[in-house]
Amino acid sequence: MYPFLRLGTHAIKSAIKQKQGHSLQLTDTSEITLTANINDIDNFFEMNNGRIFTLFDLGRNDLAIRSGLAKKLFKHRWGLVVAGSTIQYRKRVRLFDKVTIKTRLIAVDERWFYIEQSMWVKGQPTCSALLRTGITNIVTGKVLPTEQVLSALDYKDINMPPDDWVKAWSDADKIRPFPKANVHLTKDSAINE
């Protein structure tokens, strides 16, 4: 189940921090802490890999709220979208571990914002994700040019081209085949078009 209670709690905490003067620049690193609870743990008694991506939503929300992006989203009727992601896992997160999620914008191109997120326990990174994200017009569903979004946030001169590793991932993702519509599996698992 999606952690709506946690989302609400962390959104309130982020809004309070921002009101108290702990706002962030869009290029700053957001840090939030939480405790791995029973709803996060899988049958191997460690944090479920899908839950990690879900909890990363909380980190992106914190960055959006504290940087002022969230206000612009509401004002302009914009939404957030994740168009692609990749993750590396290195260490297990166990029940009741105190977790820090770090979120930062690492690159911007004409269409996408690239965000790096990592999860830390006892000062050690447990996993790191790279996400290709965009801002959409919620009426049309179309991804807005990053220049338009940055201009609305008064970041007109931001220059953060993707590093080679980010560009390599993005380029590889462009040639990755995507399932075709109307493809069905038969009883013997052969694919028919």
Side-chain angles (χ1 to χ4, degrees), residues 64-91:
I65 292 168
R66 293 176 58 204
S67 69
L69 174 60
K71 283 184 182 179
K72 298 296 182 183
L73 294 174
F74 287 114
K75 178 181 177 183
H76 296 289
R77 296 184 52 155
W78 292 345
L80 298 172
V81 65
V82 173
S85 59
T86 183
I87 193 164
Q88 296 175 327
Y89 298 98
R90 292 292 183 266
K91 295 186 184 303

Side-chain angles (χ1 to χ4, degrees), residues 147 150-151 154-160:
E147 184 178 344
L150 292 171
S151 180
D154 293 324
Y155 283 96
K156 296 175 183 117
D157 297 325
I158 196 167
N159 183 19
M160 297 177 73

Side-chain angles (χ1 to χ4, degrees), residues 53-134:
F53 263 120
T54 300
L55 294 176
F56 278 163
D57 284 354
L58 305 178
R60 293 193 306 280
N61 284 332
D62 181 68
L63 181 61
I65 292 168
R66 293 176 58 204
S67 69
L69 174 60
K71 283 184 182 179
K72 298 296 182 183
L73 294 174
F74 287 114
K75 178 181 177 183
H76 296 289
R77 296 184 52 155
W78 292 345
L80 298 172
V81 65
V82 173
S85 59
T86 183
I87 193 164
Q88 296 175 327
Y89 298 98
R90 292 292 183 266
K91 295 186 184 303
R92 289 176 172 81
V93 177
R94 303 290 190 183
L95 184 62
F96 304 126
D97 278 349
K98 185 175 178 182
V99 174
T100 299
I101 295 174
K102 298 182 183 187
T103 304
R104 67 187 186 112
L105 177 68
I106 61 168
V108 178
D109 65 21
E110 305 79 39
R111 189 168 186 204
W112 304 112
F113 295 92
Y114 296 88
I115 295 177
E116 181 183 57
Q117 294 191 272
S118 54
M119 191 172 278
W120 299 69
V121 173
K122 297 178 183 174
Q124 296 296 313
T126 64
C127 61
S128 176
L130 172 64
L131 297 96
R132 183 175 50 252
T133 67

Side-chain angles (χ1 to χ4, degrees), residues 13-24:
K13 286 180 182 179
S14 298
I16 290 170
K17 283 182 183 178
Q18 206 237 4
K19 290 247 187 228
Q20 292 176 336
H22 300 287
S23 58
L24 295 173

